[in-house]
Amino acid sequence: MAKTKTTFFCQNCGAQHAQWAGKCNVCNEWNTIVEEVIQKEEKRAWKQSSPSKKVAKPLKINDIAINEEDRIDTQNNELNRVLGGGLVKGSMTLLGGEPGIGKSTLILQVALTIDKKVLYVSGEESQSQIKMRAERLKNTNTECLILTETKTQNIFKSIEETQPDVVVIDSIQTLQTDTIEASPGSISQIRETTAELIKFAKETATPVILIGHITKEGTIAGPKILEHMVDVVLQFEGDRNHTYRILRAQKNRFGSTAELGIYEMQGSGLREVENPSEILISEKDESLSGTAIGATLEGMRPLMIEVQALVSTAVYGTPQRSTTGYNTKRLNMILAVLEKRAGFRLGAKDVFLNIAGGISVDDPAIDLAVVASILSSNEDEAIPQDYCFAAEVGLAGEIRPVNRVEQRILEAEKLGFQKIMVSKYNKIPSKKYNIKIVLVSKIEDVYQQLF
Ligand code: TYD
Ligand code: MG
């Protein structure tokens, strides 16, 4: 019988300590150190491997063969896009997100449409609960197996019996391995069960998708090392009051992290949104003052986003500035630029800014749309609905160029916009566009062009 060994782990950052302390000296959190039993046994749960102890040999890089078929098409275009073209064989993908955002729905939906044998292991819901959920979703894959189990040893037994092509674990925080005695969800259990699954994935070239909980700070619960261990970390986000969900890659060993997938949560599951611009711009019969449309890029995808501003006389001494979906500090900066460089008296006004659709925008190209919507609300004069904007605003009141402006112009053109305002300093490939390109270089020009 091996000697029982215990160590102290910080439940916040995963740091290992030799003894208990009130405060973790790594992440400075109080009361997070917990003693966990780690019974070091020699055997790992997944031990099917190498019949002979082969030693890996180095190969010349040109001699290493790869074939593109090593990716599995998930039959879900948005997910494929974010993964960089499909699930790579033998890869570990971790999907994190707030509770109730739709992680289980997304993965179950993929399991039900992919034309591969999937083993969906759930430690959170019973088989009949999953069946009930599946009834609501489009179901074409009859090869989808559902297992409710939390012990990795039993999961591996089922895997050996059923030989699935893809394994899904919902969620990593519910898993437990026999080799360790800590409770499920603890740092050492998460680390150990993930290590076992990685070993399985790499040895059998089976892709594994892990669903993970996130902490209140928004990071994936468990040791940070979990994110280092897996190949792909996906984040599923969105506002629970809105129906749109965004899937982003935080880390991807097989593709770009700039890509993004957009879904809409419906009664029958998640619908892939192929043309996001159409849903992000609200349908109106008449133009209203205070709205402007920005041609932004999220990753490689152009997105037309509606910005709404409300400028009104401040009731209290200090004017209020409030934003949804846009950085408040950046709004303050833009207001200061408007005040200083263009003489607009906004200092005594409340300014509210809202990005439609419950999404948040980081692309600086939205700045010009922000400026336009503020000016429009201040003047109480509407901007024509077929006008859009793409430029960054600098501290000197200059209108700065943005990257990949042609792609933005083409998207605006495709969606039927008549005019787009961009920086004079942008190099625009000269060809015939079906949209009028308005060039501006200073904040004052913007005002003159619009009103
Ligand atoms: P779920 O996938 O259980 O979230 P997570 O696994 O991330 O915790 O998502 C649950 C939410 O999704 C729930 O609040 C209801 C909603 N939903 C729909 O709107 N339509 C559907 O068809 C399904 C299955 C869920
Ligand atoms: Mg779930």
Side-chain angles (χ1 to χ4, degrees):
M1 182 77 197
K3 217 173 96 199
T4 310
K5 214 178 134 195
T6 66
T7 320
F8 296 86
F9 288 101
C10 167
Q11 301 292 310
N12 185 55
C13 67
Q16 203 169 336
H17 299 268
Q19 59 186 31
W20 190 85
K23 182 181 169 189
C24 170
N25 59 13
V26 177
C27 66
N28 290 327
E29 281 291 315
W30 288 91
N31 248 341
T32 53
I33 296 177
V34 171
E35 181 173 19
E36 290 181 8
V37 180
I38 47 161
Q39 208 168 26
K40 267 266 170 260
E41 249 185 81
E42 264 312 290
K43 77 171 203 304
R44 276 266 168 88
W46 180 258
K47 215 172 181 181
Q48 204 198 33
S49 67
S50 40
S52 64
K53 278 240 164 67
K54 262 210 295 197
V55 181
K57 272 205 215 92
L59 275 179
K60 277 199 188 132
I61 190 140
N62 289 340
D63 296 343
I64 302 172
I66 46 162
N67 42 346
E68 273 303 310
E69 271 90 312
D70 275 356
R71 283 188 191 259
I72 296 175
D73 180 3
T74 61
Q75 307 288 330
N76 189 309
N77 291 335
E78 301 292 300
L79 180 61
N80 280 349
R81 186 205 308 274
V82 177
L83 288 172
L87 269 180
V88 173
K89 293 223 174 108
S91 67
M92 286 287 278
T93 305
L94 176 64
L95 173 70
E98 302 245 331
I101 203 80
K103 301 179 294 296
S104 307
T105 307
L106 175 68
I107 298 303
L108 183 63
Q109 206 165 331
V110 169
L112 291 174
T113 47
I114 199 170
D115 50 6
K116 293 275 178 213
K117 189 166 179 181
V118 182
L119 178 67
Y120 186 103
V121 184
S122 178
E124 305 201 327
E125 289 160 289
S126 69
Q127 277 160 321
S128 60
Q129 272 176 318
I130 296 170
K131 170 76 180 165
M132 265 158 60
R133 188 196 291 260
E135 297 272 274
R136 300 166 66 177
L137 309 170
K138 197 171 86 196
N139 185 349
T140 53
N141 183 9
T142 46
E143 290 259 43
C144 179
L145 299 162
I146 308 288
L147 172 72
T148 42
E149 181 58 68
T150 55
K151 272 219 158 62
T152 50
Q153 278 74 12
N154 298 349
I155 293 172
F156 288 131
K157 211 176 284 164
S158 295
I159 289 175
E160 262 166 70
E161 279 161 20
T162 55
Q163 299 287 327
D165 300 316
V166 179
V167 175
V168 172
I169 307 285
D170 186 1
S171 63
I172 184 70
Q173 278 84 6
T174 59
L175 286 195
Q176 215 177 347
T177 173
D178 276 345
T179 55
I180 279 187
E181 263 172 35
S183 58
S186 62
I187 303 285
S188 42
Q189 278 291 6
I190 292 177
R191 189 161 48 193
E192 199 57 31
T193 49
T194 309
E196 285 176 8
L197 285 164
I198 288 181
K199 193 151 179 265
F200 156 73
K202 302 291 171 208
E203 276 175 19
T204 60
T206 313
V208 177
I209 302 176
L210 297 177
I211 294 179
H213 297 170
I214 63 170
T215 62
K216 62 178 191 293
E217 286 84 29
T219 55
I220 290 167
K224 191 78 191 159
I225 197 168
L226 182 61
E227 287 169 55
H228 291 293
M229 287 161 88
V230 300
D231 299 306
V232 181
V233 180
L234 302 178
Q235 189 85 27
F236 203 36
E237 50 194 56
D239 192 332
R240 249 197 292 171
N241 299 322
H242 286 85
T243 53
Y244 306 113
R245 302 281 184 271
I246 292 177
L247 185 68
R248 273 178 217 280
Q250 274 183 2
K251 159 182 175 180
N252 191 349
R253 286 187 182 150
F254 318 109
S256 146
T257 51
E259 292 295 353
L260 138 150
I262 302 177
Y263 295 91
E264 186 183 359
M265 182 61 98
Q266 294 183 330
S268 57
L270 290 156
R271 181 180 73 89
E272 295 168 47
V273 177
E274 312 251 300
N275 190 354
S277 299
E278 281 168 13
I279 53 164
L280 291 171
I281 300 171
S282 54
E283 292 282 328
K284 298 188 273 338
D285 290 337
E286 50 179 330
S287 309
L288 302 169
S289 71
T291 67
I293 290 163
T296 67
L297 280 181
E298 272 287 354
M300 303 293 277
R301 279 178 106 176
L303 273 186
M304 306 299 281
I305 291 177
E306 185 175 304
V307 183
Q308 301 181 321
L310 178 66
V311 178
S312 69
T313 315
V315 192
Y316 303 107
T318 333
Q320 293 188 65
R321 268 85 223 258
S322 134
T323 58
T324 328
Y326 187 73
N327 189 333
T328 313
K329 289 205 179 109
R330 188 131 190 112
L331 172 68
N332 283 332
M333 183 213 97
I334 285 182
L335 291 176
V337 170
L338 282 173
E339 180 112 35
K340 170 102 180 173
R341 308 281 170 191
F344 300 109
R345 295 269 157 261
L346 290 161
K349 305 272 177 99
D350 287 342
V351 180
F352 304 96
L353 194 85
N354 189 11
I355 305 286
I359 58 168
S360 59
V361 187
D362 295 327
D363 185 1
I366 193 105
D367 286 356
L368 191 57
V370 170
V371 166
S373 65
I374 292 170
L375 293 178
S376 162
S377 177
N378 195 42
E379 296 291 316
D380 200 16
E381 215 175 296
I383 294 169
Q385 281 187 42
D386 52 11
Y387 212 141
C388 63
F389 304 85
E392 190 180 336
V393 174
L395 283 179
E398 82 277 24
I399 307 297
R400 307 178 59 169
V402 289
N403 62 349
R404 285 188 275 145
V405 73
E406 194 192 1
Q407 205 181 345
R408 302 172 198 261
I409 295 173
L410 291 176
E411 174 76 4
E413 185 181 11
K414 198 174 88 196
L415 293 173
F417 284 88
Q418 297 296 318
K419 278 184 179 174
I420 181 166
M421 189 184 277
V422 297
S423 165
K424 202 170 93 182
Y425 307 111
N426 250 129
K427 287 198 179 56
I428 301 165
S430 57
K431 61 178 213 192
K432 210 173 153 0
Y433 297 99
N434 264 330
I435 182 169
K436 186 161 185 285
I437 300 169
V438 181
L439 299 171
V440 288
S441 60
K442 297 192 295 291
I443 287 268
E444 297 93 304
D445 303 348
V446 180
Y447 187 83
Q448 265 159 24
Q449 286 288 347
L450 292 175
F451 309 105

